[in-house]
Amino acid sequence: MKEQLKKRVVAANKQLTERDLVLFTWGNASLRDGDIWGITPSGIPVDTLSPEDVVLLDMDGNIVEGEKKPSSDTPTHHEIYK
Protein backbone atom coordinates (compact mmCIF):
# COMPACT_ATOMS: atom_id res chain seq x y z
CA MET A 1 0.00 0.00 0.00
CA LYS A 2 2.68 2.54 0.98
CA GLU A 3 4.82 2.03 -2.14
CA GLN A 4 1.79 2.32 -4.42
CA LEU A 5 0.70 5.51 -2.64
CA LYS A 6 4.15 7.02 -3.12
CA LYS A 7 4.10 6.18 -6.84
CA ARG A 8 0.65 7.75 -7.20
CA VAL A 9 1.82 10.95 -5.44
CA VAL A 10 4.75 11.23 -7.86
CA ALA A 11 2.47 10.63 -10.88
CA ALA A 12 -0.08 13.21 -9.69
CA ASN A 13 2.61 15.84 -9.23
CA LYS A 14 4.12 15.13 -12.65
CA GLN A 15 0.67 15.66 -14.16
CA LEU A 16 0.43 19.05 -12.45
CA THR A 17 3.73 20.05 -14.04
CA GLU A 18 2.82 18.68 -17.47
CA ARG A 19 -0.40 20.72 -17.39
CA ASP A 20 1.43 23.88 -16.29
CA LEU A 21 -0.50 24.03 -13.01
CA VAL A 22 2.59 24.60 -10.86
CA LEU A 23 5.58 26.89 -11.15
CA PHE A 24 9.03 25.56 -10.18
CA THR A 25 8.46 23.94 -6.75
CA TRP A 26 5.36 26.02 -5.88
CA GLY A 27 2.27 23.87 -5.54
CA ASN A 28 1.74 20.15 -5.20
CA ALA A 29 -0.72 17.32 -4.93
CA SER A 30 -1.06 14.90 -2.05
CA LEU A 31 -3.03 11.68 -1.88
CA ARG A 32 -4.69 9.77 0.92
CA ASP A 33 -5.13 6.01 1.26
CA GLY A 34 -7.03 5.12 4.40
CA ASP A 35 -5.29 6.58 7.45
CA ILE A 36 -2.05 7.38 5.60
CA TRP A 37 -1.41 10.20 3.16
CA GLY A 38 1.57 11.23 1.10
CA ILE A 39 2.95 14.60 0.09
CA THR A 40 6.03 15.81 -1.75
CA PRO A 41 9.04 17.02 0.19
CA SER A 42 9.83 20.69 0.45
CA GLY A 43 11.83 22.25 -2.38
CA ILE A 44 12.30 19.14 -4.55
CA PRO A 45 11.65 19.79 -8.26
CA VAL A 46 9.10 17.42 -9.78
CA ASP A 47 11.46 16.38 -12.57
CA THR A 48 13.78 14.81 -9.97
CA LEU A 49 11.01 13.50 -7.68
CA SER A 50 10.96 9.76 -6.97
CA PRO A 51 8.72 7.60 -4.78
CA GLU A 52 11.52 7.42 -2.21
CA ASP A 53 11.25 11.21 -1.76
CA VAL A 54 7.55 11.18 -0.84
CA VAL A 55 6.77 11.79 2.83
CA LEU A 56 3.99 9.69 4.37
CA LEU A 57 1.97 11.01 7.30
CA ASP A 58 -0.76 9.70 9.56
CA MET A 59 -4.06 11.46 10.22
CA ASP A 60 -2.52 13.28 13.18
CA GLY A 61 0.10 14.82 10.88
CA ASN A 62 2.98 12.69 12.18
CA ILE A 63 5.58 11.48 9.71
CA VAL A 64 5.21 7.73 9.24
CA GLU A 65 7.87 7.32 6.58
CA GLY A 66 10.33 9.56 4.78
CA GLU A 67 13.61 11.29 5.47
CA LYS A 68 12.92 14.68 3.91
CA LYS A 69 11.04 17.69 5.25
CA PRO A 70 7.43 17.63 4.01
CA SER A 71 6.10 20.42 1.81
CA SER A 72 5.33 23.78 3.39
CA ASP A 73 1.75 23.11 2.20
CA THR A 74 1.47 20.13 4.58
CA PRO A 75 -0.69 21.92 7.20
CA THR A 76 -3.23 22.90 4.53
CA HIS A 77 -3.40 19.38 3.08
CA HIS A 78 -3.66 17.95 6.60
CA GLU A 79 -6.69 20.15 7.39
CA ILE A 80 -8.41 18.99 4.20
CA TYR A 81 -7.85 15.33 5.05
CA LYS A 82 -9.11 15.76 8.63
Side-chain angles (χ1 to χ4, degrees):
M1 172 183 99
K2 289 179 182 178
E3 291 309 310
Q4 187 63 22
L5 177 58
K6 290 178 184 182
K7 289 177 184 177
R8 290 176 43 222
V9 169
V10 170
N13 280 279
K14 288 186 186 264
Q15 285 182 11
L16 289 176
T17 300
E18 290 165 2
R19 296 177 185 185
D20 294 324
L21 297 173
V22 297
L23 181 63
F24 305 116
T25 60
W26 302 338
N28 59 32
S30 65
L31 295 168
R32 179 178 170 188
D33 188 350
D35 291 337
I36 301 290
W37 58 285
I39 195 163
T40 56
S42 182
I44 303 292
V46 173
D47 60 341
T48 65
L49 186 65
S50 71
E52 294 77 28
D53 295 321
V54 174
V55 181
L56 299 181
L57 300 103
D58 64 19
M59 292 307 296
D60 292 323
N62 300 309
I63 295 175
V64 173
E65 194 170 301
E67 299 296 320
K68 295 185 169 64
K69 178 181 175 186
S71 167
S72 60
D73 295 329
T74 297
T76 302
H77 291 244
H78 184 222
E79 283 300 314
I80 292 168
Y81 289 129
K82 288 196 302 187

